[in-house]
Amino acid sequence: MVKNTARKLRIYPDDKQKQFFERNFGCRRKVYNTLLGQFEGPLRSKADVSANELVKAVKPLKDEFSYLKEADSTSLQNAARDLYQAYANYLSNRHFKFPKFKSKKKARKSYRANNNRNAIRINTENKTVRLPKAG
């Protein structure tokens, strides 16, 4: 039986980690906006676009923009999945608008990573969190 858990934590990163998170927020926004720009035509025409197509489009972006390789890959894949979810919400309910481009100033700065192969570790004794690439 698979047990899924989610935790929302407040962390206090050092300067190097703050720099990583800021870079990751920007890379996530770049992937979302670039994919929205690439797929805007098919999405507006209500063509069949799957979440896997969007996730597969992240790898060529990493080759085009080398700084995306410094970000956490699961975070970038989640940005593609978020775009798909925004598009699915738009199709399913008339109250949702078509997905918009993310702004650097207005966008909510959040970070979501998947726990692949126990990459995320939470130590309750030392009150520390280990995240991939962040340290």
Side-chain angles (χ1 to χ4, degrees):
M1 185 171 122
V2 176
K3 183 179 177 183
N4 294 327
T5 60
R7 293 183 187 208
K8 193 173 184 178
L9 302 170
R10 170 77 168 118
I11 59 173
Y12 300 96
D14 61 17
D15 290 337
K16 184 179 176 186
Q17 291 168 335
K18 282 180 188 177
Q19 203 173 38
F20 168 77
F21 287 122
E22 288 296 325
R23 201 172 336 122
N24 209 32
F25 298 148
C27 291
R28 209 178 129 76
R29 185 177 58 250
K30 175 71 173 176
V31 167
Y32 186 95
N33 288 341
T34 306
L35 290 178
L36 181 56
Q38 286 178 358
F39 287 89
E40 190 169 17
L43 291 176
R44 285 212 184 266
S45 64
K46 298 187 179 180
D48 233 0
V49 177
S50 71
N52 287 337
E53 285 179 68
L54 293 173
V55 170
K56 286 179 184 176
V58 172
K59 187 166 175 34
L61 289 179
K62 283 183 161 184
D63 296 334
E64 186 177 346
F65 305 105
S66 61
Y67 59 88
L68 291 178
K69 292 179 182 177
E70 298 171 9
D72 181 20
S73 61
T74 61
S75 173
L76 301 180
Q77 291 170 357
N78 285 333
R81 287 186 186 102
D82 291 345
L83 175 60
Y84 177 76
Q85 189 60 49
Y87 173 64
N89 289 343
Y90 164 72
L91 287 180
S92 68
N93 192 337
R94 66 175 186 222
H95 297 292
F96 287 100
K97 296 180 181 177
F98 190 78
K100 293 181 180 178
F101 289 96
K102 301 282 184 194
S103 163
K104 184 176 183 177
K105 295 180 182 178
K106 293 182 182 179
R108 180 177 166 196
K109 295 181 180 179
S110 64
Y111 173 76
R112 194 172 74 230
N114 299 347
N115 191 12
N116 296 336
R117 295 187 212 122
N118 267 347
I120 299 173
R121 296 191 185 113
I122 300 172
N123 188 342
T124 54
E125 290 177 11
N126 299 341
K127 296 184 180 179
T128 58
V129 178
R130 171 94 168 87
L131 295 171
K133 291 195 178 181

